Amino acid sequence: LLLLLLLVAAAVAPANARNVARLHVAVDSPNSANSVESGAGACAIDPCAANMACPTCTAAQSCGWDVTHSACKSGDVPGSFDGLATAAAKTWYWSTCDVCSTAYDCRTCVSDKCGWCMQPNFASKNDVTGVCLSGTASTPSVNCTAGFWLSESCDPCAVHDGNCAACVASSNCGWNLAGKLCRTGTAYGANDGSATAPSGQWLFQTCDACSRMLNCASCQHAPEGTCGWCYDGASSFPLSGYCKTGSAAQSKDTTCSLVAKNWLWQRTCDRCGRLTDCASCTSDATCGWSTTAKACVTGGRNGAFDGSATLANHTWLHDTCDPCATYSGSCATCLVTAPPTLKCGYCHSDTYPGLCLSPGPGSVAPSSCSWAWLNASCDVCSQYTDCLSCTGSSGCGWALPQGTCKSGGPSGARDGSSVTLNHTWLYDSCDDCAQYVGDCGACQANASCGWCRQGYSGAGTCALTAPGGAAPPSCPDYWMWNTCDPCAVYAECDSCVSDGTSYCGWDLSTKTCRIGTADEALNGTASRGAGTWLREVCDPCSRHASCQLCETDPTCGWCADHSQCLTGTATGSTTQPSCGTHNTNWLWRTCDACTRFAPGGCNACTTGSAPSGGACGWCNATSPGTCATGVTAGSFDGKCSVAAKTWTWASSDCPPQRG
């Protein structure tokens, strides 16, 4: 019997040892079951079993609720360690008592009544950790932090569905334009393939609808009609950059603009199109300005690459904004075809293509032309504007009628316009004026010559003029150009009227000295009658040819002895001492010749004589009296009469003079 008891004890001891060991593992290890196997001979001691309600159970560490047995058991996310409750069978609640929490991953969770609440510290977008809770897209679970609720998709970016700005601001998220959904992806499209950039339905890092256009051509023809291309300068062919919403002046976000010269608008993808003014356009060697479109276009010297503007049709500017440059095809095109209002000139080179340019001040060559400047003719000799430089150049001569330099030889100009025989051609030398000996008229007919007068006589010599017809150094005095009038040598009125020859007068209309008579210039340009001719004095009153005109000028009086109007006062002329009341020859404010006797009183008056009939009488209608022309009965002007006892006709009737 003793032996039998020892054999039974030896058989039971190992089984008890295994049960004790399993219990220790269940209690001490969170990764092992917290309950032992059930069945015959099992001993169940689960530390979670003390939690009798689901809320306290799921709140306890490493505990979950067995829905079928209404018991709290040790376990983890997939189910209880005893295997009787699992999330897959929807009989296991873990971390919450929400009916949706039986789904242990996002894909099995999301439905009409359940949503996935992401953990704020989830590791990556492809491994969304969290918990399934009751809720909908419009009514998320109150137990889920805002911004971490997934109700229709397990894409972590879907938390931003309906909010493009928040979507593109989130790392690795992009916007599906068609569904207005936020999805994980890259610049080229969503990871799930629901939207791609090439399809035009994907926005990445921006909510600008234009940004979906990946090249300039599609951008400029986008259906929105408000898209422009922002050129980043990285590549010209194809044109690199970004498509953005904007206006003609700039992008909506102001990062690109016409001012910054990186904005393309108006359906162009020409890199040069960002340059909106001629100056900036032509400063780029690969661009040119279309004068018809007023736009910058890619091209070369002869025109735009797209053929829209060419040098041949005068609509293309390259390297310059000079309007004449469009006529640079040839000298003839420049000088003949170009509008006369442009006043273009041709910059000629024997080696390089010439240029049509606008002239500098005075129609001279602009600073940009260092070659021959042709602005009147395509004759290369026409670049020389004076005789000396002209005749100093081989093959060139000076055409006297036109005063221009032309190609030719010793006998005359190549075009036959000037020849040596008729004194219109100078070759090798410019002094051809000496041939006109003693003939001022022939000398002055030659535009290159002037007459050097010898003193007051008409004699002189013909000499070559200085530039502009000025006197040459050889003739410092008495120089005449374009005239043989000997008086023309005087440049001022005083020297003109005091010439001493008695035939010079001053022409007030031209302010020049002319030969003439007392009444007018011989060439008819001035006369006393017209008030434009001065003789003997430069008194401006002397332009009045009659006393009647003179008396109307408040600063003038009439000198009867000289029959001349002169500047003066009531007592006499201030420019001609011989004319005054002291000489009884000065008329002031009147043309009655008798008034000159007034200073002598009644006796001097009644013994004086008046021109044009009648005689002088004394009028005492005013004090002091005055002398006036009249007859026995009274003055001609009717102011004085015998009847009014204001008129004295005979000197015997004059009152005695005071001694």
Side-chain angles (χ1 to χ4, degrees):
L1 180 59
L2 180 59
L3 179 59
L4 180 59
L5 290 173
L6 290 174
L7 290 174
V8 171
V12 173
N16 289 336
R18 285 195 301 272
N19 287 336
V20 172
R22 182 176 297 174
L23 180 60
H24 282 293
V25 171
V27 173
D28 298 335
S29 176
N31 296 321
S32 61
N34 286 335
S35 61
V36 297
E37 298 175 359
S38 63
C43 183
I45 304 177
D46 188 332
C48 293
N51 300 300
M52 303 303 292
C54 179
T56 57
C57 173
T58 55
Q61 185 176 3
S62 301
C63 296
W65 187 256
D66 183 339
V67 177
T68 303
H69 300 95
S70 299
C72 189
K73 297 182 179 181
S74 295
D76 54 18
V77 175
S80 61
F81 287 150
D82 64 8
L84 297 180
T86 64
K90 297 186 178 182
T91 58
W92 181 248
Y93 290 169
W94 178 257
S95 74
T96 177
C97 292
D98 191 319
V99 293
C100 291
S101 67
T102 56
Y104 64 90
D105 62 54
C106 179
R107 288 178 177 79
T108 58
C109 169
V110 293
S111 66
D112 292 340
K113 298 181 179 180
C114 298
W116 189 256
C117 183
M118 294 190 299
Q119 296 298 318
N121 60 344
F122 59 86
S124 70
K125 296 291 186 182
N126 296 321
D127 181 20
V128 184
T129 60
V131 62
C132 192
L133 300 173
S134 297
T136 64
S138 59
T139 311
S141 171
V142 296
N143 295 318
C144 186
T145 303
F148 292 89
W149 179 252
L150 300 176
S151 61
E152 297 177 353
S153 171
C154 287
D155 188 324
C157 292
V159 296
H160 303 302
D161 283 354
N163 188 340
C164 179
C167 174
V168 297
S170 182
S171 177
N172 299 321
C173 294
W175 187 252
N176 182 326
L177 271 172
K180 300 187 183 306
L181 304 173
C182 189
R183 294 294 179 263
T184 303
T186 65
Y188 295 97
N191 288 346
D192 62 7
S194 60
T196 63
S199 70
Q201 296 300 318
W202 179 250
L203 300 180
F204 194 73
Q205 296 181 339
T206 177
C207 287
D208 188 338
C210 292
S211 68
R212 72 188 192 279
M213 306 301 174
L214 300 183
N215 58 65
C216 181
S218 61
C219 174
Q220 298 286 34
H221 294 82
E224 286 79 4
T226 58
C227 299
W229 190 254
C230 183
Y231 174 56
D232 62 10
S235 170
S236 298
F237 305 101
L239 199 66
S240 60
Y242 308 94
C243 191
K244 294 189 174 187
T245 299
S247 62
Q250 63 184 13
S251 61
K252 187 176 181 180
D253 61 10
T254 71
T255 57
C256 304
S257 66
L258 293 179
V259 174
K261 302 188 186 307
N262 60 356
W263 183 245
L264 295 174
W265 188 254
Q266 296 180 337
R267 296 181 178 270
T268 178
C269 284
D270 188 330
R271 180 185 66 88
C272 297
R274 75 192 194 284
L275 306 173
T276 57
D277 62 276
C278 180
S280 61
C281 174
T282 54
S283 64
D284 189 315
T286 63
C287 302
W289 187 255
S290 169
T291 58
T292 52
K294 298 190 182 307
C296 193
V297 187
T298 300
R301 185 180 187 277
N302 295 319
F305 290 154
D306 63 6
S308 60
T310 64
L311 187 63
N313 62 19
H314 317 302
T315 57
W316 181 250
L317 293 175
H318 190 255
D319 297 332
T320 177
C321 288
D322 187 334
C324 289
T326 62
Y327 300 91
S328 291
S330 67
C331 178
T333 301
C334 179
L335 300 189
V336 179
T337 308
T341 53
L342 293 180
K343 299 180 180 180
C344 300
Y346 195 69
C347 190
H348 171 78
S349 170
D350 293 331
T351 307
Y352 303 100
L355 297 171
C356 192
L357 303 172
S358 294
S363 296
V364 300
S367 58
S368 57
C369 180
S370 58
W371 303 331
W373 177 247
L374 311 177
N375 67 338
S377 166
C378 287
D379 186 335
V380 293
C381 291
S382 67
Q383 65 182 290
Y384 304 110
T385 57
D386 64 274
C387 181
L388 290 176
S389 60
C390 173
T391 56
S393 179
S394 177
C396 298
W398 191 252
L400 293 173
Q402 300 86 11
T404 57
C405 191
K406 296 185 176 184
S407 296
S411 61
R414 183 178 299 164
D415 61 8
S417 60
S418 299
V419 295
T420 304
L421 292 177
N422 63 10
H423 309 294
T424 58
W425 180 252
L426 300 180
Y427 193 77
D428 293 333
S429 172
C430 284
D431 194 359
D432 192 48
C433 299
Q435 63 179 307
Y436 305 109
V437 179
D439 190 344
C440 178
C443 173
Q444 297 289 16
N446 188 327
S448 298
C449 302
W451 193 256
C452 187
R453 179 183 165 199
Q454 297 174 357
Y456 292 107
S457 67
T461 58
C462 191
L464 186 69
T465 71
S474 60
C475 186
D477 302 313
Y478 305 112
W479 174 253
M480 295 185 295
W481 187 60
N482 283 340
T483 180
C484 286
D485 187 334
C487 297
V489 297
Y490 303 111
E492 297 179 353
C493 180
D494 288 336
S495 59
C496 174
V497 298
S498 61
D499 172 73
T501 61
S502 300
Y503 53 67
C504 291
W506 188 254
D507 184 340
L508 282 171
S509 62
T510 61
K511 292 183 172 50
T512 55
C513 191
R514 301 292 184 193
I515 189 170
T517 66
D519 295 319
E520 63 180 358
L522 290 184
N523 64 0
T525 59
S527 67
R528 288 188 67 191
T532 56
W533 182 247
L534 302 181
R535 281 291 302 273
E536 297 181 2
V537 294
C538 287
D539 190 325
C541 289
S542 66
R543 70 183 184 276
H544 300 307
S546 67
C547 179
Q548 286 73 22
L549 293 173
C550 182
E551 72 170 332
T552 61
D553 193 322
T555 63
C556 301
W558 186 258
C559 183
D561 288 351
H562 296 276
S563 294
Q564 191 175 32
C565 188
L566 301 172
T567 300
T569 63
T571 59
S573 170
T574 56
T575 59
Q576 181 58 266
S578 63
C579 296
T581 55
H582 60 286
N583 285 336
T584 63
N585 59 1
W586 183 248
L587 302 180
W588 182 256
R589 300 286 186 276
T590 179
C591 285
D592 187 337
C594 289
T595 59
R596 57 193 171 132
F597 299 114
C602 180
N603 287 325
C605 171
T606 54
T607 57
S609 59
S612 302
C616 298
W618 185 255
C619 177
N620 58 9
T622 59
S623 180
T626 186
C627 192
T629 302
V631 293
T632 304
S635 62
F636 284 159
D637 61 11
K639 295 180 179 180
C640 305
S641 66
V642 172
K645 297 181 181 181
T646 56
W647 180 251
T648 301
W649 178 249
S651 60
S652 59
D653 295 331
C654 290
Q657 292 183 339
R658 293 181 180 180

